[in-house]
Amino acid sequence: MSRKRLVVAMSGASGAPYALCLLEELLRQGHEVHLLVTEAGWRVLKEEHQWPIQEREQIFYQRFGHLPGTLIYHPIKDIGASIASGSFRIDAMIVIPCTMGTLAKIAHGISSNLLERTADVMIKERRPLILVPRETPLSSIHLENMLKLAQAGVSIVPAMPAFYISPTHIDDMVRFVAGKVLDILGIDHQLYQPWEGKA
């Protein structure tokens, strides 16, 4: 398996466990991951994982620095970062979880921070962009924005865990969603057991 250069971005929707599971698996497999976290994303990490967010990127290096992959953290306001340019080759970008506000800005080409700028670059360069929205119920505005992005080639992967895997713990459901993202990326994994049919 070839080493990929990927961007993983966390916005402020509930669902930080999905992002952490995906990040851990990518780094465990030795990929290069450029990480972005919005201000609201840091708030979610504090609420859902009790992370001391004043430490910022250091907590990611402390948690994942032992893995064989390469982790590169970019401040969300650094619009001069490497990943903001189309000349910097990125294999794919994943926004997980993705708020409806972030999704709307991406759908309309609004780039007010590094996450939105990088997503805009992925679309204009026709590179894989995966959004994992986590919201319910969905309004017609949300659905129209998703359709607009899907028509532009963006993969929309709602955080909808399946039950055919017979989950016994919340981690099983988290791993399923992260695994679906890896499926789209063409990265082999063992985060969940694929459906093989039953007699």
Side-chain angles (χ1 to χ4, degrees):
M1 179 189 64
S2 61
R3 186 172 190 256
K4 293 182 181 292
R5 174 184 284 166
L6 305 160
V7 174
V8 172
M10 300 177 63
S11 65
S14 177
Y18 298 126
L20 298 182
C21 179
L22 178 66
L23 182 62
E24 182 174 21
E25 181 64 16
L26 291 172
L27 292 171
R28 187 187 67 77
Q29 293 196 28
H31 298 290
E32 176 183 323
V33 180
H34 293 254
L35 177 65
L36 299 169
V37 184
T38 66
E39 288 300 319
W42 283 110
R43 174 66 182 268
V44 171
L45 283 167
K46 178 181 179 182
E47 297 295 333
E48 296 184 352
H49 289 275
Q50 293 74 54
W51 278 20
I53 61 174
Q54 65 272 15
E55 296 179 20
R56 295 288 163 145
E57 70 267 26
Q58 293 306 315
I59 195 167
F60 280 99
Y61 291 116
Q62 290 167 9
R63 176 163 179 157
F64 301 112
H66 67 285
L67 297 171
T70 302
L71 177 61
I72 302 165
Y73 174 85
H74 297 279
I76 197 67
K77 295 181 180 180
D78 184 11
I79 59 171
S82 57
I83 58 176
S85 174
S87 64
F88 187 77
R89 298 292 301 181
I90 299 170
D91 293 302
M93 177 180 183
I94 309 99
V95 183
I96 178 171
C98 184
T99 65
M100 289 300 110
T102 296
L103 189 146
K105 287 184 177 182
I106 295 171
H108 293 276
I110 300 171
S111 300
S112 59
N113 61 32
L114 183 57
L115 186 161
E116 295 153 10
R117 168 59 187 169
T118 306
D120 189 54
V121 167
M122 299 302 289
I123 294 172
K124 79 180 182 70
E125 298 291 337
R126 300 185 183 278
R127 297 172 185 162
L129 173 61
I130 301 170
L131 305 183
V132 183
R134 210 249 30 105
E135 184 64 90
T136 191
L138 296 169
S139 72
S140 61
I141 295 172
H142 300 154
L143 294 169
E144 287 172 0
N145 286 335
M146 289 185 200
L147 176 60
K148 185 180 183 72
L149 287 165
Q151 290 172 335
V154 176
S155 296
I156 307 296
V157 185
M160 296 179 177
F163 290 88
Y164 66 78
I165 59 173
S166 300
T168 58
H169 191 276
I170 191 170
D171 286 347
D172 297 329
M173 303 172 79
V174 169
R175 289 162 62 87
F176 177 83
V177 172
K180 295 299 287 185
V181 172
L182 293 172
D183 290 344
I184 293 175
L185 294 171
I187 296 176
D188 292 335
H189 65 88
Q190 295 182 335
L191 293 182
Y192 72 90
Q193 180 64 41
W195 177 258
E196 296 178 351
K198 292 183 179 179

